[in-house]
Amino acid sequence: MSALVSIILAIIVFIVALKILGAVLGLVLGLAVAVLAYFVAEKLIGKGR
């Protein structure tokens, strides 16, 4: 019985860890894309002047 409970707990912890990792990764990727877009926009605006 306790083995089953520990396996279920391990799966829950694993899923939560994956969700947190996904959120952090999404945040970092979003920031990177935003910074990249900002620099591209700056270059385009800079060329336009």
Side-chain angles (χ1 to χ4, degrees):
M1 183 62 194
S2 62
L4 189 67
V5 171
S6 62
I7 288 168
I8 290 166
L9 276 175
I11 290 167
I12 290 167
V13 169
F14 183 69
I15 289 167
V16 169
L18 269 182
K19 278 187 184 286
I20 291 168
L21 196 74
V24 170
L25 206 70
L27 202 75
V28 170
L29 278 175
L31 273 172
V33 169
V35 170
L36 196 75
Y38 172 77
F39 278 115
V40 169
E42 278 285 304
K43 281 198 170 180
L44 286 175
I45 293 164
K47 278 184 181 176
R49 275 188 220 155

